[in-house]
Amino acid sequence: MNYRQRYDEYLALFNAQIAVCCDRFLPVGSRVCEAARYSLLAGGKRVRAVLCMAACELLGGRAQQAAQLACAVEMLHCYSLIHDDLPCMDNDTLRRGKPTAWVKYGYDMAVLAGDGLMIYAFETAAKALALGADPARTARSMHCLLYTSPSPRDPKTCR
């Protein structure tokens, strides 16, 4: 199987799981959830999600085992993009050729959508336990979500 085919398989697995996560955490009918969905489902390469699933396979697991965590990673990334686009930060009005969340939904809704995605990222990662994920690995994964780079205070971060 070539790279493109494998990437597309990971992407299909991720897209199915992110739809489940959106239904669970971002119900239709809420303006804040609508803004979060708008940003989260806006597309993109999903490199982080694909790398998450590929790393799981590289370490002897199955991509399906990491799909939930891949959603958490994308939610956390999306939160950072929403907040980064705000007028008080980079003041971006377009992302991937579409109006940014704050332009489309207003500053207040964008802040709340980003905040919600940050919280739901950790809940999504924690819910991997309900899907049979190993508790120790899930805890380490959540730790890595919190601390994405090694900290001088904690030399064991994300190892």
Side-chain angles (χ1 to χ4, degrees):
M1 179 179 311
N2 70 30
Y3 166 81
R4 188 74 223 170
Q5 290 170 319
R6 192 64 188 127
Y7 190 94
D8 289 343
E9 282 183 12
Y10 287 135
L11 204 52
L13 180 58
F14 169 80
N15 286 333
Q17 188 63 49
I18 200 69
V20 170
C21 289
C22 281
D23 290 344
R24 181 181 300 137
F25 298 117
L26 304 170
V28 176
S30 161
R31 187 102 168 120
V32 173
C33 292
E34 184 182 328
R37 278 177 175 260
Y38 171 80
S39 296
L40 185 61
L41 301 176
K45 298 177 289 293
R46 305 294 193 193
V47 172
R48 287 155 203 81
V50 168
L51 287 174
C52 183
M53 291 182 283
C56 181
E57 284 189 341
L58 182 67
L59 297 171
R62 293 186 337 270
Q64 293 86 351
Q65 293 172 302
Q68 184 90 3
L69 185 61
C71 290
V73 169
E74 282 296 311
M75 287 175 166
L76 195 62
H77 176 63
C78 186
Y79 132 76
S80 72
L81 295 177
I82 291 172
H83 281 200
D84 189 54
D85 289 340
L86 292 171
C88 63
M89 300 294 281
D90 288 349
N91 196 25
D92 288 321
T93 58
L94 293 175
R95 178 159 300 277
R96 297 183 188 103
K98 295 175 159 181
T100 56
W102 76 266
V103 170
K104 185 165 176 79
Y105 294 94
Y107 188 96
D108 53 346
M109 287 295 123
V111 169
L112 292 173
D115 289 351
L117 283 171
M118 178 178 55
I119 293 165
Y120 292 138
F122 293 103
E123 188 171 345
T124 298
K127 291 224 184 268
L129 291 171
L131 300 174
D134 175 78
R137 285 186 177 173
T138 301
R140 283 194 304 271
S141 297
M142 290 178 70
H143 182 80
C144 286
L145 280 175
L146 280 168
Y147 304 101
T148 57
S149 62
S151 165
R153 290 167 284 161
D154 183 4
K156 295 177 283 197
T157 300
C158 296
R159 290 190 185 170

